[in-house]
Amino acid sequence: MADLPPDLFDADWAREAERRALRDHRRATRARKARESTRPSRGALLSALSFSAAVALVLAGFTLLDGTAPTVSAPAASATSTSTAPLRTRAEVDLTRPFADTPAAMWREGAGGIQAPPAHPVGPYSAEQVGQFMERVRRLIITARLDRTVIETRDPRPVLDQLAPALVAKLRPDLAPGKEKESWYVAERIAEGARLLPVQPRVAGWMTPTVDEYGELAIRTNYLVAYAFDVPDPKKIEGPMDIVAVVRQEIEYRWIDDPKYAADARGVWFGEARGFSYSVDCAQSERGFLAPGYDNPRETGATVAHTRRSEEYFDPAIPLPTEDGCR
């Protein structure tokens, strides 16, 4: 009996890949020249994050792959709103309507934005099996990214309870305090001192069932979540993106159920995982925590020439950004 699925999680490789990518990224960042000498909008601050459970890592245009990165298309039946309505970076902020004047105002609220498409047979898996796994993935994403107990207390245990025990054992070293950046893909974590407003996050994106290169059932997901944060004095901020932080994650979840594997290896595993944050606190992002961007120094982000309209960072149909405005 095999102990673990093949090559689904190589933590040592992933850490080494991240070190190489960060090194190359810093070299590339130092080589760039600022496109503008004036202060950029704080709403345009970006932070790129990436990880791979032994498949891919992307940072600032550098891509390290073990295998082929999947292509993701949005089936109409499962996609939530991806409106690219205009973004007003300078506008009066109403804390009871924090997403007003942003594209996220058109997105669904909370768990309503995490929807599975109609189940159909995929490879050797029946429609019923596919539907059951998509529901598992839906619940896992809701727990990891929307459950306030998880994201505000920074306690990932409700997420870990939904993963294969063998994977959880391998994740343990990167779940220790101070290593939050290494396990960013497990669950969202709000920075200490940051407070979410009493409104539901807004969500857009989709999930797509497929079969991976090992013949195992996989669900590829691509979701953006917009979080609204409280601020002591709304009059001191310039616009909604000072208090709204947007996180995009493209994560593949794999279902391991073959009896040839040990019992503790069966269940949900991470496949490829990539992420990107927009309008965030750069210092907290570097530590693996989420906070809004209003505390960023004025010069932060001035070294990156953004090639997209601000609204495009709200569109999951557009390829994941590679620039990083936090370095």
Side-chain angles (χ1 to χ4, degrees):
M1 178 178 292
D3 291 329
L4 297 174
D7 299 324
L8 277 181
F9 191 88
D10 186 344
D12 292 337
W13 179 91
R15 282 190 285 268
E16 177 59 27
E18 182 170 11
R19 284 193 291 268
R20 291 198 303 267
L22 285 170
R23 179 198 62 202
D24 292 341
H25 164 66
R26 292 189 182 103
R27 289 175 180 172
T29 299
R30 288 195 293 268
R32 293 192 187 101
K33 292 184 178 179
R35 182 180 63 175
E36 299 176 358
S37 58
T38 57
R39 179 198 173 195
S41 165
R42 286 180 292 184
L45 294 168
L46 311 169
S47 176
L49 292 173
S50 301
F51 169 80
S52 169
V55 221
L57 187 150
V58 177
L59 263 175
F62 293 89
T63 305
L64 303 173
L65 296 175
D66 176 10
T68 303
T71 57
V72 182
S73 58
S78 68
T80 60
S81 173
T82 58
S83 167
T84 54
L87 168 65
R88 293 180 62 194
T89 57
R90 294 180 181 271
E92 185 176 349
V93 174
D94 179 352
L95 295 184
T96 65
R97 300 173 55 249
F99 300 108
D101 296 310
T102 78
M106 306 295 292
W107 297 354
R108 293 182 181 177
E109 295 185 359
I114 311 292
Q115 298 290 335
H120 58 83
V122 176
Y125 295 90
S126 68
E128 181 180 9
Q129 290 173 307
V130 172
Q132 289 174 346
F133 186 38
M134 285 195 295
E135 177 58 24
R136 280 178 176 264
V137 169
R138 191 185 75 86
R139 292 198 305 266
L140 181 57
I141 295 173
I142 290 171
T143 304
R145 305 188 66 186
L146 300 175
D147 187 312
R148 285 191 175 239
T149 300
V150 171
I151 63 181
E152 291 180 337
T153 66
R154 300 173 287 281
D155 182 359
R157 284 179 295 180
V159 178
L160 302 179
D161 289 343
Q162 301 178 53
L163 303 175
L167 172 59
V168 175
K170 284 182 169 289
L171 288 173
R172 288 292 181 196
D174 285 339
L175 294 172
K179 303 196 72 176
E180 288 80 8
K181 188 175 181 181
E182 282 80 359
S183 57
W184 65 266
Y185 54 94
V186 174
E188 200 62 67
R189 301 175 180 92
I190 302 300
E192 186 174 354
R195 293 189 305 167
L196 290 171
L197 285 168
V199 297
Q200 289 280 356
R202 297 298 180 94
V203 183
W206 55 78
M207 65 174 69
T208 307
T210 187
V211 173
D212 66 20
E213 64 269 33
Y214 301 108
E216 308 287 358
L217 181 61
I219 306 297
R220 292 170 181 168
T221 68
N222 180 12
Y223 284 102
L224 289 111
V225 181
Y227 301 89
F229 289 83
D230 199 1
V231 61
D233 187 356
K235 294 181 180 179
K236 292 184 178 180
I237 60 178
E238 298 176 353
M241 295 313 297
D242 280 347
I243 63 168
V244 173
V246 180
V247 180
R248 177 175 171 182
Q249 293 182 359
E250 295 181 2
I251 298 181
E252 179 185 71
Y253 300 90
R254 297 180 176 184
W255 177 244
I256 306 301
D257 63 351
D258 194 320
K260 72 182 180 182
Y261 299 121
D264 66 347
R266 298 176 210 160
V268 180
W269 286 71
F270 291 109
E272 177 180 292
R274 302 186 300 168
F276 191 85
S277 302
Y278 175 66
S279 190
V280 298
D281 183 308
C282 291
Q284 293 293 349
S285 179
E286 182 66 21
R287 297 174 56 224
F289 297 109
L290 182 66
Y294 61 78
D295 280 336
N296 282 316
R298 289 179 175 269
E299 66 273 12
T300 302
T303 60
V304 176
H306 301 143
T307 59
R308 306 184 181 199
R309 294 182 301 111
S310 295
E311 291 83 0
E312 293 182 10
Y313 296 106
F314 291 79
D315 189 349
I318 291 177
L320 199 75
T322 56
E323 72 267 33
D324 185 346
C326 276
R327 298 178 186 277

